[in-house]
Amino acid sequence: MLGRDYDQICSVARSLEVLGERWTLLIVRDVFNRKRRFEQIQENLGVARNVLAARLARLVEEGILEKRRYQERPERFEYFLTEKGLELWPVMIALLHWGDRHLSEPSGAPMLIRHKGCDGMVDDRGFCERCGERLDAHDAYTELGPGAPAEWRSAATAA
């Protein structure tokens, strides 16, 4: 992450102070995808535990994630997106679609976003391509796309 002393009067620069480190947006992505426990996120990302702990603490401090205890002994927590965190959904959708257009394997997108209401595909601006409704994070779900690795499909079948 950029240091907090990065002093530019620019909303993009200020946003990057919070979100500009690689692991940060991947953590947010994982929480959007219902990976809420430290161990789940760490296993999925392969990030060092100390780095993950620092990023989670910063996201909680910034009001993007909320930490909720789910076990007392030993004390363990889950992380949930706050309203501020949920407002990152359009950013995540735009990045996903940009990556699909410019960086996907020939087999296609690894993950698809669909509208819960009609199962239409969600476009890069957060609209349903089938019904035209403007969506937010609560209105959508993910599914494996044609470019998803075989191990993802195996894990999904096992679950």
Side-chain angles (χ1 to χ4, degrees), residues 103-159:
L103 305 169
S104 276
E105 298 294 325
S107 56
M111 188 69 62
L112 304 175
I113 311 294
R114 291 195 177 273
H115 180 197
K116 287 180 183 175
C118 72
D119 292 325
M121 297 294 293
V122 177
D123 73 12
D124 60 345
R125 297 176 302 124
F127 286 91
C128 176
E129 293 178 351
R130 181 174 289 160
C131 71
E133 188 176 334
R134 174 82 165 144
L135 308 174
D136 66 26
H138 299 293
D139 302 321
Y141 67 94
T142 59
E143 68 179 32
L144 297 178
E151 59 268 16
W152 290 9
R153 293 189 190 287
S154 297
T157 303

Side-chain angles (χ1 to χ4, degrees), residues 34-156:
R34 296 180 205 89
K35 289 176 177 49
R36 296 188 178 107
R37 296 182 177 182
F38 186 96
E39 297 299 327
Q40 293 172 315
I41 298 167
Q42 199 277 327
E43 181 180 339
N44 191 56
L45 295 179
V47 60
R49 296 178 68 82
N50 64 322
V51 172
L52 178 57
R55 298 307 178 268
L56 286 168
R58 177 78 189 268
L59 288 165
V60 168
E61 178 186 317
E62 292 292 340
I64 293 167
L65 294 179
E66 177 185 348
K67 186 176 174 180
R68 297 181 196 163
R69 184 175 40 225
Y70 70 89
Q71 180 178 309
E72 287 196 31
R73 293 198 176 145
E75 193 172 50
R76 296 187 191 265
F77 296 89
E78 291 181 305
Y79 296 87
F80 292 84
L81 291 158
T82 62
E83 284 303 311
K84 183 177 179 179
L86 288 167
E87 288 178 11
L88 289 169
W89 190 71
V91 173
M92 302 301 285
I93 294 300
L95 281 170
L96 179 135
H97 282 284
W98 186 88
D100 289 347
R101 272 193 307 278
H102 300 289
L103 305 169
S104 276
E105 298 294 325
S107 56
M111 188 69 62
L112 304 175
I113 311 294
R114 291 195 177 273
H115 180 197
K116 287 180 183 175
C118 72
D119 292 325
M121 297 294 293
V122 177
D123 73 12
D124 60 345
R125 297 176 302 124
F127 286 91
C128 176
E129 293 178 351
R130 181 174 289 160
C131 71
E133 188 176 334
R134 174 82 165 144
L135 308 174
D136 66 26
H138 299 293
D139 302 321
Y141 67 94
T142 59
E143 68 179 32
L144 297 178
E151 59 268 16
W152 290 9
R153 293 189 190 287
S154 297

Side-chain angles (χ1 to χ4, degrees), residues 6-59:
Y6 188 70
D7 190 27
Q8 285 198 18
I9 302 173
C10 169
S11 294
V12 172
R14 289 177 178 164
S15 297
L16 285 173
E17 288 179 24
V18 177
L19 302 169
E21 194 277 329
R22 172 187 180 203
W23 295 115
T24 302
L25 283 179
L26 294 176
I27 292 165
V28 170
R29 178 207 60 192
D30 275 8
V31 177
F32 268 116
N33 287 326
R34 296 180 205 89
K35 289 176 177 49
R36 296 188 178 107
R37 296 182 177 182
F38 186 96
E39 297 299 327
Q40 293 172 315
I41 298 167
Q42 199 277 327
E43 181 180 339
N44 191 56
L45 295 179
V47 60
R49 296 178 68 82
N50 64 322
V51 172
L52 178 57
R55 298 307 178 268
L56 286 168
R58 177 78 189 268
L59 288 165

